[in-house]
Amino acid sequence: MSAWPLVHEAVLDPTIEPFVKVHGEPAYSYYGKMPEMNGLMRKAMSGVSVPFMTSVLDSYNGFKCVKQLVDVGGSAGDCLRMILQKHRFIYEGINFDVPEVVGEAPSILGVTHIGGDTFKSIPAADAIFMKWVLTTWTDDEYKLIMENCYKALPAGGKLIACKPVLLDDSNESQRTRALLEGDIFVMTIYRAKGKHRTEQEFKQLGFSAGFLHLRLYRVLDY
């Protein structure tokens, strides 16, 4: 809460987040040093992941032919657990997140927890899954993560990125309001230059990282 009175400063100077100004370090490293905060973060991610993944698994069939799946930024592994329960043909799931998060993740049948840094490398697999990870990064950081995903995939591999898509033109809809409110939250806590993106922006960043084919599936609407 102490970061919110400084929201306007993130607009005037997007080089530093209000959270950093208040606490002296980025949110993710702050969480990692405080077990209580780390636990709350994992519970929060589980709370939003389960209903969201239920909708995804009910409407998306793109996991066919996948044998190995990496979840980048998978937190406690809830998404992988649900995917493997639904698609039994996936014989190996890799939950990839920062070491302090996966170190506290529960044991899940068929899932290996691996700690690391997405900006350095990502474990190899047939497919890579990401949910809401890319919003908190700048375009350059986003591109670097995408490039590491591309390197980790075999020929014909697949990146499955679950992301809210911003409309090209702003309007008064609940959907647009929710996404722009999300931008303000990201700007305040995680990354002053982080943002939701339009379909065309996703395509351009994907192409720049080597992904030449993009298919957009609508699995949840506002």
Side-chain angles (χ1 to χ4, degrees):
M1 293 300 296
S2 54
W4 283 98
L6 304 181
V7 172
H8 65 288
E9 296 190 16
V11 178
L12 298 173
D13 178 16
T15 61
I16 186 169
E17 293 72 37
F19 189 96
V20 175
K21 287 187 175 182
V22 172
H23 296 285
E25 60 183 323
Y28 288 123
S29 61
Y30 180 83
Y31 297 158
K33 294 176 181 177
M34 300 182 64
E36 182 180 2
M37 286 295 297
N38 196 17
L40 286 172
M41 184 65 175
R42 284 188 285 107
K43 288 180 180 179
M45 292 307 300
S46 295
V48 296
S49 292
V50 172
F52 177 83
M53 286 305 300
T54 299
S55 296
V56 170
L57 293 171
D58 284 344
S59 56
Y60 178 69
N61 63 358
F63 292 103
K64 291 181 178 179
C65 301
V66 174
K67 302 298 183 184
Q68 295 172 297
L69 179 66
V70 176
D71 185 359
V72 174
S75 189
D78 291 287
C79 293
L80 270 180
R81 174 178 52 80
M82 295 178 69
I83 293 170
L84 267 61
Q85 286 175 348
K86 172 87 172 184
H87 302 296
R88 304 271 180 188
F89 48 80
I90 302 176
Y91 68 82
E92 182 182 12
I94 299 173
N95 182 39
F96 184 66
D97 211 313
V98 293
E100 54 267 29
V101 170
V102 296
E104 300 294 329
S107 177
I108 301 173
L109 182 65
V111 174
T112 302
H113 299 292
I114 297 180
D117 184 347
T118 55
F119 292 111
K120 294 180 179 178
S121 66
I122 291 171
D126 300 334
I128 295 172
F129 178 81
M130 289 192 293
K131 176 182 65 62
W132 305 336
V133 171
L134 299 171
T135 303
T136 54
W137 305 112
T138 67
D139 285 346
D140 288 339
E141 292 165 335
Y142 183 123
K143 181 182 176 183
L144 178 55
I145 294 172
M146 295 282 279
E147 288 174 340
N148 287 338
C149 287
Y150 189 83
K151 294 174 184 176
L153 291 168
K158 178 187 298 186
L159 170 62
I160 304 168
C162 292
K163 294 293 302 170
V165 178
L166 194 64
L167 297 176
D168 292 325
D169 298 315
S170 183
N171 56 41
E172 297 295 326
S173 70
Q174 179 62 31
R175 177 174 186 260
T176 298
R177 288 179 60 87
L179 291 177
L180 296 180
E181 287 168 2
D183 277 352
I184 296 172
F185 175 77
V186 169
M187 177 178 70
T188 304
I189 305 299
Y190 292 113
R191 208 75 170 103
K193 292 185 178 181
K195 60 180 180 179
H196 290 100
R197 294 172 173 88
T198 65
E199 181 179 347
Q200 187 58 36
E201 288 173 324
F202 280 123
K203 286 182 178 179
Q204 291 175 346
L205 287 166
F207 290 160
S208 68
F211 292 97
L212 303 182
H213 304 285
L214 173 68
R215 295 180 183 177
L216 186 66
Y217 296 88
R218 185 182 299 277
V219 297
L220 194 65
D221 210 342
Y222 289 88

